Amino acid sequence: MSPRIWLPALLALGACAHHEDVSTATLAIEPATVDLTLVNGVAVHQSYQAFLVFTDGTRREVTGDSLFSVDSAFGAFAGNDLAVGIGGHAQVFGTYQDKTGAAELTARVRTVRVDPSLPPGTPDVFNGADDPALAPTVVYPPAGAVMPRNVGDFEVHWTDGHAQDVFEVSLHTEYTDVKLYVKGGNGLAATGPHPSWVAFQAAEWTTGASAAAAVDVKVRGAVSATGKVGGGAAQSVVLSREDMLGGLYYWAAASAAPDAVTGIFRHDMARPGEAAEEFLTTKQTSGRCVACHVLSRDGTKMAITYDGGGKPATMVDVATRSVANTVTAWNFATLTPDNQQLLSVEAGVLTVRDASTQGVIATMTAATPVSHPDLSADGRHLVYVSNPTNSHDWDFSNGAVITRTYDPATHTFGPEVTLHADGKSNFYPSWSPDGQWVVFNKAATGASTYDDAAATTWVIKADGSAPAIHLAAADQTTGLTNSWPRWAPFPQTLGTTGEPLYWITLASKRDFGVRLRNTGLCQRPAQCTPAKSSQIWMTPFLPA
């Protein structure tokens, strides 16, 4: 009798029991959407939960057994708690066994910094509507500027002719709004009416630009006594999609004093705002001058010259800064991609050398004296200047840009091909990283190629299929000694479409907004160079 009663009861219990089939379940992350606001750089926290959702609609929490993640540039998880430090949009992922779920996260940044010399209530002065007729004039950055995403110590310069005594300078994107309030009037008096500038802190720039394709820059001015506010349209600065990495090496003199430190300095692009370090200066060489230099494309080796033109030259290991004992003489050089060979020029003759021993391997035959050699990234194409006037390596006229092939295995050269010759002085050619373009300088016939004020910057297709193009936006104007153009080794992209982008650096004797004039005057004497000295500028090159 009991079995006939008990067995159906078991069957009934089994039919009503819930069976979790994890194989068909999905993973839900909650909250599914979040919109956070970071105020004045303080990170905000958001906790997440993970739930298995079964086919019958029931749920089981598995937060403690799940792994949460987000783009590391956006924030970091500690367990299921996310600390967000920048603005933008991202997906949060949760993983439980073989299942992954996602949630949407939007973070907005609101930063306000008031200069300590101003009253805390200064932002209230700008509550009124803008009068475009009273708008300050932005001097830097220039309209349409393109900058590396990690430029860091971003500055804005402006002038004002309306007796405004307080200014609001802002960075704005879809997700960020950073505002600085300053007195202004700290620029050089000769650069315009009431010249002013301000530098955003690295953290302010990072939170304001890290997730944006472009940043809108705006300067508003006000007369605090009357509340009249002047402001015009915002100015857009377009950003590369990738950070600029690596080191920028250059020669400089710290001042014009006889005992000044001179030599090669290095700026780490990954550390914006930090002063350039002395890489190989008179301090490291017991007073010996290091000047002309060439860096290998992988950044591990550097060929240097001592004591000016026609003097000894050797190799440097970049990581250790150790200088080789082997010494020869040359004035301009280029390295093969494997850093085993050095192609150097002295007195118009190009010689192939063993980079380690400086021993001669081969000598290139050319129709005229040559100078300013540069090998392509694959090491199989050489560009240089043919100098028909003399065998002086750094000062000549009527130079033509010549290319030819090079076989590093046999140390032989193909026939000379004239890439660009127009009767003017063309010099300092350099290959683009993809080998498709050559950038070079141009000046009038008979001009000095070493330091000519009229030098301009041009590019040309490496196959000669199109005329040379003047990079007028990079040059800005004439008379600025725009020289020594060089390509950054890393290709980048731009905007939402990912347009290809290369960076070109050049030396130029132009003003830097209202902060540095090329007359010897300087707002920060310890950071400025003598009158009529070059600064390093960077310009984007868009192959399209």
Side-chain angles (χ1 to χ4, degrees), residues 114-177:
V114 180
D115 188 273
S117 64
L118 292 172
T122 297
D124 296 336
V125 176
F126 292 85
N127 289 337
D130 288 351
D131 182 349
L134 302 177
T137 300
V138 176
V139 178
Y140 179 88
V146 178
M147 293 190 176
R149 176 167 298 280
N150 60 324
V151 67
D153 49 348
F154 180 76
E155 294 187 12
V156 180
H157 300 203
W158 67 95
T159 58
D160 156 57
H162 307 288
Q164 294 165 334
D165 61 342
V166 63
F167 298 89
E168 175 192 88
V169 187
S170 63
L171 301 178
H172 181 77
T173 73
E174 179 182 359
Y175 302 109
T176 62
D177 192 15

Side-chain angles (χ1 to χ4, degrees), residues 352-363:
V352 180
R353 298 179 181 275
D354 181 287
S356 298
T357 67
Q358 300 284 295
V360 175
I361 299 174
T363 299

Side-chain angles (χ1 to χ4, degrees), residues 16-21 24-26 52-60:
C16 293
H18 173 66
H19 177 65
E20 295 182 340
D21 186 357
T24 59
T26 58
L52 282 175
V53 181
F54 300 98
T55 55
D56 63 358
T58 58
R59 294 153 49 98
R60 175 162 63 90

Side-chain angles (χ1 to χ4, degrees), residues 7 47 63 66 70 75 144 161 171-172 189 221 229 232 287 290 311 323 330 347 350 369 375 400 409 414 419 450:
L7 185 57
S47 295
T63 301
S66 298
V70 71
L171 301 178
H172 181 77
V229 180
V290 179
K311 299 299 194 307
V323 179
W330 49 262
L350 186 144
L375 277 171
L419 181 62
Y450 179 70

Side-chain angles (χ1 to χ4, degrees), residues 82-439:
L82 173 63
V84 181
I86 65 171
H89 181 82
Q91 281 191 309
V92 172
F93 296 98
T95 302
Y96 173 79
Q97 294 182 3
D98 62 342
K99 303 181 185 305
T100 299
E104 302 297 320
L105 171 64
T106 300
R108 307 182 192 280
V109 174
R110 300 289 181 266
T111 298
V112 174
R113 174 159 60 94
V114 180
D115 188 273
S117 64
L118 292 172
T122 297
D124 296 336
V125 176
F126 292 85
N127 289 337
D130 288 351
D131 182 349
L134 302 177
T137 300
V138 176
V139 178
Y140 179 88
V146 178
M147 293 190 176
R149 176 167 298 280
N150 60 324
V151 67
D153 49 348
F154 180 76
E155 294 187 12
V156 180
H157 300 203
W158 67 95
T159 58
D160 156 57
H162 307 288
Q164 294 165 334
D165 61 342
V166 63
F167 298 89
E168 175 192 88
V169 187
S170 63
L171 301 178
H172 181 77
T173 73
E174 179 182 359
Y175 302 109
T176 62
D177 192 15
V178 181
K179 293 180 178 178
L180 309 184
Y181 294 90
V182 296
K183 279 186 173 181
N186 57 336
L188 298 176
T191 56
H194 199 61
S196 308
W197 65 275
V198 68
F200 284 82
Q201 296 172 357
E204 292 168 339
W205 172 261
T206 300
T207 56
S210 58
V215 174
D216 289 335
V217 179
K218 188 171 182 177
V219 179
R220 302 168 72 205
V223 178
S224 54
T226 63
K228 289 184 178 181
V229 180
Q235 185 169 301
S236 182
V237 175
V238 181
L239 305 176
S240 63
R241 297 175 67 176
E242 300 86 10
D243 285 351
M244 170 63 72
L245 302 176
L248 179 66
Y249 296 83
Y250 60 94
W251 182 90
S255 75
D259 59 347
V261 174
T262 62
I264 300 172
F265 292 74
R266 181 184 189 274
H267 171 65
D268 191 336
M269 299 299 293
R271 297 179 179 178
E274 291 190 10
E277 64 175 321
E278 296 179 18
F279 177 76
L280 198 63
T281 70
T282 45
K283 282 186 178 179
Q284 287 93 17
T285 61
S286 300
R288 196 171 189 182
C289 175
V290 179
C292 289
H293 60 280
V294 58
L295 186 71
S296 64
R297 287 187 178 268
D298 65 3
T300 63
K301 301 294 181 182
M302 181 182 289
I304 65 168
T305 64
Y306 287 116
D307 307 325
K311 299 299 194 307
T314 190
M315 297 291 297
V316 176
D317 181 271
V318 171
T320 64
R321 307 189 195 190
S322 58
V323 179
N325 292 324
T326 53
V327 176
T328 184
W330 49 262
N331 291 310
F332 295 97
T334 181
L335 285 153
T336 53
D338 60 5
N339 301 328
Q340 298 301 304
Q341 298 173 39
L342 181 78
L343 280 63
S344 63
V345 168
E346 183 188 18
V349 178
L350 186 144
T351 303
V352 180
R353 298 179 181 275
D354 181 287
S356 298
T357 67
Q358 300 284 295
V360 175
I361 299 174
T363 299
M364 184 185 77
T365 301
T368 69
V370 305
S371 192
H372 302 168
D374 187 50
L375 277 171
S376 59
D378 63 5
R380 296 188 171 275
H381 296 84
L382 177 69
V383 65
Y384 54 86
V385 175
S386 174
N387 166 22
T389 55
N390 58 57
S391 59
H392 200 282
D393 295 335
W394 56 85
D395 200 358
F396 52 84
S397 60
N398 300 323
V401 180
I402 305 294
T403 62
R404 64 198 306 177
T405 58
Y406 175 63
D407 186 338
T410 61
H411 316 116
T412 56
F413 299 86
E416 290 186 291
V417 176
T418 300
L419 181 62
H420 182 75
D422 57 1
K424 296 184 178 180
S425 186
N426 301 286
F427 50 102
Y428 296 149
S430 176
W431 287 101
S432 64
D434 62 355
Q436 299 298 306
W437 299 87
V438 172
V439 64

